[in-house]
């Protein structure tokens, strides 16, 4: 089932599929206007691990698809404390490799609908003070259902997450096309929170996870999705500015769950920084997920087209690859 959302040098692994898009920062664009892409970003599918057989396999052999990004919840990877189960990734990797395709893995620690797919010990063992915080979810499309986010600001929880990343790296570093962490946007329900959440503690924890991931994944690109920071708007706490500078310094790729050309909210948060940092990050990986097809272009009032997503992603944001929801309308047509 799809998880609903309100949601180092690239090296040899991506060399064959990213050759056409090197120099992503070469195109120029005035702020708010995307320059046409001379050669589009590499296209990947995007899906939850549970939808691999039903939604991904029928599309994976398309010539215009380089691979797939699979979202895998923390609970599916760590059934019990320090007991890891990577069989689902192993199976998907074997299938994709046999077809000459690539595999990205998104390690999911937040959930926009309940239940939270986090290891049970995190939620029950008093060492982790609840392990997760309740969230409210609202986007430009309206309010969403309550959700939850792992309490990464709790050092004990974050330590367990680092153990998971280390175990993943020991098994898959150099074999995956990339590993990414989900978006930074979250809205903890502070009236119900019992984990000691604060915006500053959350920001520091996310940077710590970025640095740790880049340290253990030395051959596979490590990417953090950055779209909004809780408690900040238009970089008024310099969270966004510090995050991009930190990523550049530590060799962390960046990306985001949505390409929404010229949307005011995005243009006042992460998008100007992606534009500013084009050509300075190891990898820029953007997604077009299910809700993005419900938005309309503020200039035309019409739904965004594939070309508009791609041109803005490449020309303004500097995207090297785009992860497309398997429900993308253009995937219903035969590859050219």
């Amino acid at each position: 089932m799809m998880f609903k959302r309100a949601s180092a040098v690239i090296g040899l692994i991506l060399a064959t599929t990213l050759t056409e898009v090197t120099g992503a920062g070469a195109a120029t664009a005035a702020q708010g206007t995307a320059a046409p892409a001379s050669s589009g970003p590499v296209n990947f599918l995007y899906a939850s691990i549970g939808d691999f057989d039903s939604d991904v396999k029928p599309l994976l052999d398309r010539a215009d698809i380089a691979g797939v990004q699979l979202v895998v919840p923390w609970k599916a990877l760590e059934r019990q404390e320090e007991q890891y189960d990577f069989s689902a990734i192993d199976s998907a990797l074997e299938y994709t490799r046999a077809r000459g395709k690539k595999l990205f893995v998104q390690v999911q620690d937040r959930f926009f609908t309940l239940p939270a797919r986090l290891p049970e010990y995190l939620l029950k063992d008093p060492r982790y003070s609840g392990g997760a915080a309740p969230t409210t979810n609202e986007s430009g499309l309206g309010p969403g259902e309550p959700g939850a986010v792992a309490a990464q600001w709790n050092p004990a929880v974050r330590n367990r997450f680092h153990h998971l990343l280390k175990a993943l790296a020991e098994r898959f570093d150099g074999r995956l096309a990339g590993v990414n962490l989900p978006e930074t946007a979250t809205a903890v329900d502070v009236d119900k929170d019992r984990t000691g959440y604060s915006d500053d503690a959350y920001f520091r924890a996310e940077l710590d996870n970025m640095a740790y991931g880049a340290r253990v994944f030395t051959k596979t690109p490590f990417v953090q999705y950055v779209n909004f920071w809780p408690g900040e708007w238009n970089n008024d706490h310099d969270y966004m500015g510090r995050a991009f500078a930190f990523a550049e310094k530590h060799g962390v790729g960046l990306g985001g769950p949505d390409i929404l050309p010229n949307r005011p909210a995005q243009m006042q948060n992460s998008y100007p920084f992606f534009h500013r940092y084009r050509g300075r990050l190891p990898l820029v990986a953007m997604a077009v997920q299910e809700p993005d097809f419900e938005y309309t272009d503020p200039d035309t009032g019409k739904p965004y087209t594939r070309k508009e997503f791609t041109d803005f992603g490449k020309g303004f944001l500097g995207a090297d690859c785009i992860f497309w929801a398997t429900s993308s309308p253009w995937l219903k047509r035969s590859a050219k």
Side-chain angles (χ1 to χ4, degrees):
M1 179 179 294
M2 183 63 63
F3 300 121
K4 297 179 181 178
R5 302 180 38 258
S7 193
V9 175
I10 292 173
L12 294 176
I13 296 177
L14 287 178
T16 56
T17 53
L18 292 184
T19 299
E20 295 181 355
V21 297
T22 52
T28 58
Q31 183 161 322
T33 305
S38 57
S39 60
V42 176
N43 294 316
F44 282 73
L45 302 172
Y46 150 79
S48 295
I49 188 71
D51 295 327
F52 184 73
D53 288 346
S54 61
D55 295 353
V56 174
K57 286 183 177 180
L59 298 170
L60 196 56
D61 288 330
R62 290 175 61 110
D64 51 2
I65 293 298
V68 59
Q69 177 204 44
L70 293 177
V71 180
V72 189
W74 186 348
K75 184 176 183 177
L77 299 172
E78 188 177 13
R79 304 291 184 178
Q80 299 182 47
E81 188 166 2
E82 207 71 35
Q83 295 185 20
Y84 301 109
D85 181 359
F86 300 147
S87 58
I89 298 178
D90 283 327
S91 178
L93 183 58
E94 180 181 4
Y95 188 91
T96 53
R97 277 186 151 186
R99 284 153 180 78
K101 305 293 183 173
K102 308 294 182 180
L103 178 63
F104 253 80
V105 170
Q106 176 170 312
V107 184
Q108 195 75 8
D109 72 335
R110 60 206 60 207
F111 305 93
F112 298 91
T113 58
L114 297 174
R117 274 77 79 191
L118 296 168
E120 199 165 330
Y121 75 86
L122 276 183
L123 304 176
K124 293 185 175 181
D125 192 317
R127 289 180 296 165
Y128 305 106
S129 303
T135 60
T136 59
N137 295 308
E138 185 166 351
S139 70
L141 298 172
E145 300 178 44
V149 59
Q152 297 279 8
W153 50 93
N154 179 325
V157 173
R158 193 163 70 255
N159 178 262
R160 293 305 318 151
F161 193 64
H162 288 186
H163 276 251
L164 172 63
L165 293 179
K166 183 180 180 181
L168 279 166
E170 288 173 348
R171 188 175 188 94
F172 296 109
D173 192 25
R175 300 173 63 203
L176 296 174
V179 172
N180 76 283
L181 302 184
E183 64 191 85
T184 52
T186 193
V188 170
D189 190 336
V190 293
D191 292 333
K192 297 178 181 179
D193 176 51
R194 300 295 181 268
T195 67
Y197 171 87
S198 74
D199 294 339
D200 281 343
Y202 173 78
F203 175 74
R204 291 193 301 269
E206 294 298 279
L207 293 194
D208 191 38
N209 286 342
M210 289 166 60
Y212 187 83
R215 187 158 67 246
V216 295
F217 284 96
T218 62
K219 301 174 184 176
T220 288
F222 189 79
V223 177
Q224 171 71 61
Y225 275 2
V226 180
N227 50 352
F228 302 91
W229 287 102
E232 173 174 273
W233 194 259
N234 201 19
N235 200 39
D236 59 6
H237 287 63
D238 197 28
Y239 289 152
M240 196 66 72
R242 283 183 281 166
F244 273 77
F246 187 92
E248 181 182 31
K249 178 180 178 180
H250 290 271
V252 179
L254 295 179
D258 307 289
I259 298 176
L260 293 171
N262 300 317
R263 295 291 301 185
Q266 282 74 14
M267 291 303 299
Q268 294 182 65
N269 287 279
S270 63
Y271 282 6
F273 288 89
F274 278 110
H275 185 64
R276 188 181 309 168
Y277 276 78
R278 289 189 318 161
R280 295 164 57 181
L281 299 169
L283 182 66
V284 174
M286 302 298 298
V288 179
Q289 298 185 1
E290 295 86 348
D292 300 340
F293 299 107
E294 300 179 44
Y295 286 89
T296 56
D297 186 324
D299 295 329
T300 67
K302 297 179 180 180
Y304 293 111
T305 65
R306 176 190 178 185
K307 186 177 187 303
E308 288 171 327
F309 284 129
T310 301
D311 286 354
F312 189 84
K314 172 71 173 180
F316 190 79
L317 303 177
D320 298 301
C321 53
I322 298 178
F323 306 127
W324 297 88
T326 55
S327 60
S328 301
W330 65 271
L331 289 171
K332 301 183 187 305
R333 300 187 293 272
S334 297
K336 294 181 179 180

